[in-house]
Amino acid sequence: MLRSEPISTGFYVPERVIGNEELSQWMDTSDEWIRQRSGIVERRWVDGGVGSSDLAKEAAEQALNRAGLQASDLDCIILATLSPDVYFPGSGVFLQRKLGIKNIPCLDVRNQCSGFIYGLSIADAWIRTGQYKRILLVGTEVQSTGLVLTSDGRDTAVLFGDGAGAMILGPTEDGDRGVLSVNIHADGRHAEKLWMEAPGSRYKPWLVAEQIEKGLTRPYMEGREVFKHAVVKMPSAVKEALEANGLTLEDVDYVIPHQANARITQGVAKSLGLPEEKVISNIHKYGNTTAASIPIALHEAVEDGRIKRGSLVCLTAFGSGFTWGAALIRW
Ligand code: COA
């Protein structure tokens, strides 16, 4: 049976480190509040003039190097982001251009924190059907430039970071490895609980000064609602993935949840009855990098040897929409 398998991974974060103390220069917050509520110690922010496709290029080149491939070997790009370089076209085409290639299809996925899992579902399906053989899947975000760096924006400004993570996927007929399954879900009843309202086509014109004044162009989040759903939906997606493959939690080496908040990650571990060391967390270093968080955490775990050939890894995400899902991979 033809399956998709990860061939390599890559990641990139901007050099500029923003510690919690630095944030408290601009807004009424504290290292203690941020650490206690989120587990975040620092995050990386771009210096400006940099878009999500720039970070994606760095992560993609690292993944290409690790795989011993050239950009010209790719036959498809899937890019997940909530922070595209421009409103349209998608950042995938800018990434394609920056990698110096042309003609191959570029798809942007707009499923925020679940974007990487949604993108993986598409990549996996395309490879299984034989449509493409070398897919570059990237989750990439430049969120810092959209945050409000005053006390008014502190509820979200302290949480989000910039970064990119990449995976190259190809076909395998080795029955023991590869992407075993990807399950994705959405419930649009909760769309306004984590969203950015403007600009948008329901306004005429799409963007006016009043929207900025009213704060509609900044992320809005009902933090507690998001929290409540995240700690239920991610464990349920993990269990669904295992059941679909006739596996149990005992078979799993690592769960990599979307890095939204250390307390959410601990809640996922608790709900699944897994020891915390089996549920990977790196949020202290990068904050919430939305579509990039899972591939960055995955890359780090592969690089430091926690994930090795034969490891059973479950990726799971939850975010705006609400959208969520899980993917089970035998490395
Ligand atoms: N620094 C200091 N105080 C802050 C603050 C900050 N950065 N942000 C908010 N506060 C204040 C609030 O104004 C509130 O003050 P009040 O009680 O005087 O009104 C107080 O802290 C508590 O706010 P609350 O929102 O109730 O805190 P919380 O315990 O729910 O924690 C989150 C807030 C955002 C950390 C938490 O809800 C969460 O993690 N939610 C999920 C967020 C997430 O993961 N989003 C991305 C999903 S993909």
Side-chain angles (χ1 to χ4, degrees):
M1 189 179 74
L2 194 64
R3 276 204 184 116
S4 70
E5 68 164 346
I7 299 172
S8 68
T9 58
F11 101 124
Y12 179 77
V13 287
E15 278 175 24
R16 188 169 159 225
V17 179
I18 306 286
N20 292 343
E21 290 298 349
E22 205 170 336
L23 291 174
S24 56
Q25 295 170 23
W26 303 311
M27 61 193 83
D28 182 14
T29 190
S30 65
D31 178 49
E32 193 195 355
W33 193 97
I34 301 169
R35 276 184 204 239
Q36 267 180 9
R37 306 284 172 131
S38 72
I40 300 167
V41 176
E42 59 188 37
R43 71 285 292 141
R44 304 298 185 96
W45 283 0
V46 300
D47 268 321
V50 172
S52 49
S53 70
D54 294 302
L55 307 193
K57 173 181 177 274
E58 302 294 332
E61 285 181 342
Q62 193 180 59
L64 285 166
N65 284 339
R66 294 278 195 283
L69 293 171
Q70 306 293 320
S72 55
D73 295 321
L74 298 171
D75 55 12
C76 178
I77 292 174
I78 302 174
L79 184 148
T81 190
L82 68 64
S83 49
D85 297 35
V86 295
Y87 198 87
F88 73 81
S91 290
V93 295
F94 293 109
L95 172 60
Q96 183 209 50
R97 200 164 80 183
K98 284 168 187 165
L99 290 173
I101 46 178
K102 50 187 179 189
N103 292 330
I104 66 166
C106 299
L107 173 71
D108 268 44
V109 173
R110 292 198 53 192
N111 287 78
Q112 297 68 253
C113 300
S114 309
F116 191 80
I117 301 281
Y118 267 73
L120 184 58
S121 164
I122 301 163
D124 179 52
W126 274 344
I127 287 172
R128 279 175 191 256
T129 58
Q131 179 121 5
Y132 301 110
K133 288 194 167 55
R134 288 282 178 272
I135 298 183
L136 169 64
L137 170 63
V138 193
T140 182
E141 305 287 359
V142 172
Q143 308 188 94
S144 58
T145 46
L147 300 171
V148 173
L149 300 185
T150 64
S151 294
D152 198 32
R154 67 180 181 173
D155 60 329
T156 45
V158 303
L159 300 176
F160 294 99
D162 302 338
M167 180 187 277
I168 296 173
L169 293 114
T172 178
E173 288 189 40
D174 178 344
D176 291 333
R177 18 198 331 234
V179 177
L180 305 185
S181 64
V182 189
N183 46 299
I184 47 177
H185 301 277
D187 186 348
R189 288 176 302 172
H190 304 285
E192 290 85 1
K193 289 180 181 152
L194 177 52
W195 72 330
M196 201 177 92
E197 198 179 336
S201 56
R202 69 184 188 183
Y203 297 104
K204 193 177 173 185
W206 292 4
L207 180 61
V208 289
E210 196 190 347
Q211 291 163 338
I212 300 171
E213 281 151 25
K214 284 187 172 166
L216 306 187
T217 56
R218 47 162 281 204
Y220 168 80
M221 178 174 71
E222 289 179 31
R224 290 193 178 188
E225 277 294 300
V226 173
F227 196 103
K228 240 170 44 192
H229 284 264
V231 293
V232 172
K233 298 288 196 310
M234 284 196 277
S236 92
V238 170
K239 287 180 190 159
E240 182 188 19
L242 290 167
E243 272 165 31
N245 292 282
L247 295 163
T248 70
L249 281 161
E250 264 124 61
D251 298 311
V252 175
D253 293 294
Y254 289 102
V255 170
I256 304 185
H258 162 55
Q259 306 288 303
N261 182 313
R263 290 189 306 154
I264 291 179
T265 300
Q266 285 154 6
V268 168
K270 194 168 160 210
S271 165
L272 292 171
L274 288 174
E276 278 184 25
E277 60 273 14
K278 277 198 161 194
V279 183
I280 288 174
S281 174
N282 65 3
I283 191 151
H284 54 289
K285 293 190 284 187
Y286 308 123
N288 179 347
T289 56
T290 303
S293 91
I294 290 176
I296 292 176
L298 177 64
H299 175 83
E300 287 192 333
V302 170
E303 284 291 292
D304 67 21
R306 276 175 291 171
I307 294 175
K308 42 190 172 291
R309 192 166 176 137
S311 298
L312 184 68
V313 184
C314 190
L315 315 179
T316 183
F318 175 84
S320 167
F322 290 149
T323 56
W324 66 98
L328 204 54
I329 304 176
R330 176 75 68 188
W331 210 256

